[in-house]
Amino acid sequence: MSSAQDISENVKHARDQALVGNYDDARVYYSGAIQGVQQLLKQTQEPDKKEKWKEALGMLNEEQDLVKSLTATLSSFKEDPSIAGRQRGRAEEPSAHHPGHDPDVWPPPTPVESSRPSKGVRPARCSEERVPSPKISSRPAGGGARKPVGAGAPSRGGGVAGK
């Protein structure tokens, strides 16, 4: 005879096992919980309780079906390794047309021709193209040394410095 507590424990274990990926164990616990609910349905005489157990049975069957679906999907990956390629949009194995060629791997870079001239060769210079650079003086144009803006004693009051 199953009790509601046994069913609750089986459901809890089934969900825990499914959560961590132990789908086979989860299916076993779901089966135990479903059998327990079916036994209680046969024994229950009250219509309200019977209706609630039927709802619970339907929910447990849905959860068990989801776990079965996950198990079937995982086993299909193990059986047919080319499914992973088709899932990404490729219909054939990468080596079908080009043996040893994987389209997900880039080819090595091509060598670049050096644009620098070899050591003994100098580029020709044209004197006409050269523009002399202006001479920069280290002294200010006014002749005397100037203080940078904002240097010196801070001004008092809010007015313009020097007034």
Side-chain angles (χ1 to χ4, degrees), residues 7 11 13 26 29 33 36 56 73 82-83 86 94 111-112 115 124 134 159:
I7 295 169
V11 171
H13 289 305
Y29 283 114
T73 302
S82 67
I83 288 177
R86 282 189 227 132
V112 178
S115 61

Side-chain angles (χ1 to χ4, degrees), residues 56-129:
L57 183 62
M59 289 174 31
L60 289 174
N61 280 322
E62 285 181 25
E63 289 181 28
Q64 186 181 35
D65 289 344
L66 285 172
V67 170
K68 284 180 183 178
S69 174
L70 287 170
T71 304
T73 302
L74 288 175
S75 66
S76 71
F77 285 140
K78 292 175 185 174
E79 292 169 4
D80 190 4
S82 67
I83 288 177
R86 282 189 227 132
Q87 293 290 337
R88 289 189 305 231
R90 281 190 269 150
E92 300 175 358
E93 291 290 322
S95 60
H97 295 299
H98 307 286
H101 174 71
D102 186 355
D104 291 337
V105 178
W106 288 11
T110 56
V112 178
E113 297 277 333
S114 176
S115 61
R116 290 191 300 177
S118 58
K119 267 198 166 182
V121 180
R122 289 184 134 181
R125 291 187 178 180
C126 290
S127 60
E128 299 167 68
E129 292 180 13

